[in-house]
């Protein structure tokens, strides 16, 4: 069985993560089958609250090929499963200015359930992004220099 690890690399560049959580997903049967085939994307996904419940929007899960007429809609909203304490904590932070909830990684747990790592994040400014690029370039140069030794 191959490991499923779908990441949102753009989020690390665009946001500064304050706190991370792991949430379960409420999925349909054809959705979990598509995720197990690795046919999902969280790049465009974002999380919002509706009536004290957290949902992810725009997470794209490709329709399952072997399904009959009962296939799912690829970008429907999906409920995230978290503890009440975690939900209250995140809702309080999101109501403050500048905080958002970003999906960072989609994976299958050891028990076979789909899990989503989400982060409470603050948007980076342009100079922060430049600093991230500079740090990444410096690390690459150091790694190359150590490899050549």
């Amino acid at each position: 069985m191959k490991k499923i690890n779908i990441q949102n690399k753009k989020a690390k560049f665009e946001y500064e993560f304050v706190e991370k959580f792991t949430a379960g997903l409420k999925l349909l049967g054809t959705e979990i089958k598509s995720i197990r085939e690795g046919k999902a994307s969280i790049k465009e996904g974002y999380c919002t609250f509706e009536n004290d419940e957290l949902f992810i929007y725009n997470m794209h899960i490709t329709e399952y090929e072997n399904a009959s007429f009962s296939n799912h809609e690829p970008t429907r909203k999906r409920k995230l499963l978290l503890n009440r304490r975690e939900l209250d904590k995140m809702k309080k932070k999101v109501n403050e200015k500048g905080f958002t909830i970003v999906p960072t990684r989609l994976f299958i747990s050891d028990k076979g359930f789909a899990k989503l790592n989400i982060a409470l994040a603050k948007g980076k400014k342009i100079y922060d992004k430049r600093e991230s690029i500079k740090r990444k370039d410096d690390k690459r140069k150091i790694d190359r220099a150590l490899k050549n030794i």
Side-chain angles (χ1 to χ4, degrees):
M1 189 170 139
K2 73 176 187 180
K3 282 277 195 192
I4 301 300
N5 187 16
I6 300 165
Q7 294 191 349
N8 186 356
K9 294 177 184 173
K10 185 177 163 188
K12 194 181 280 186
F13 182 70
E14 295 285 332
Y15 299 97
E16 176 188 333
F17 301 149
V18 177
E19 196 169 352
K20 295 180 181 180
F21 300 93
T22 301
L25 286 159
K26 188 173 179 184
L27 298 172
L28 301 174
T30 54
E31 290 175 327
I32 189 67
K33 289 177 182 181
S34 287
I35 289 173
R36 286 192 178 127
E37 289 181 351
K39 296 181 177 178
S41 172
I42 57 172
K43 286 181 182 143
E44 301 298 321
Y46 62 95
C47 302
T48 57
F49 279 95
E50 271 185 30
N51 302 330
D52 292 337
E53 294 178 336
L54 190 61
F55 290 90
I56 183 166
Y57 289 86
N58 273 4
M59 180 173 115
H60 189 275
I61 300 176
T62 307
E63 289 184 349
Y64 187 59
E65 298 165 2
N66 300 329
S68 58
F69 60 90
S70 62
N71 223 326
H72 64 275
E73 186 184 324
T75 57
R76 73 178 186 90
K77 72 177 183 181
R78 294 166 179 94
K79 185 177 177 180
L80 296 179
L81 308 171
L82 288 154
N83 293 335
R84 173 59 44 205
R85 189 171 49 252
E86 292 173 330
L87 286 169
D88 292 341
K89 185 177 186 180
M90 289 191 336
K91 188 166 187 173
K92 184 179 171 188
K93 285 282 190 179
V94 167
N95 289 337
E96 289 179 24
K97 190 175 182 219
F99 281 101
T100 187
I101 302 170
V102 183
T104 57
R105 180 175 164 242
L106 177 66
F107 64 99
I108 303 290
S109 70
D110 295 335
K111 293 183 178 180
F113 297 116
K115 299 285 183 177
L116 184 70
N117 283 353
I118 55 176
L120 196 59
K122 228 176 190 171
K124 283 186 180 179
K125 304 282 189 254
I126 292 172
Y127 54 84
D128 290 334
K129 291 178 187 177
R130 282 194 213 119
E131 186 66 33
S132 296
I133 292 169
K134 185 178 175 185
R135 214 175 306 121
K136 200 184 309 179
D137 286 343
D138 291 344
K139 185 181 182 316
R140 192 176 302 130
K141 287 177 186 175
I142 291 169
D143 289 344
R144 278 192 200 136
L146 291 174
K147 192 176 182 182
N148 292 336
I149 293 176

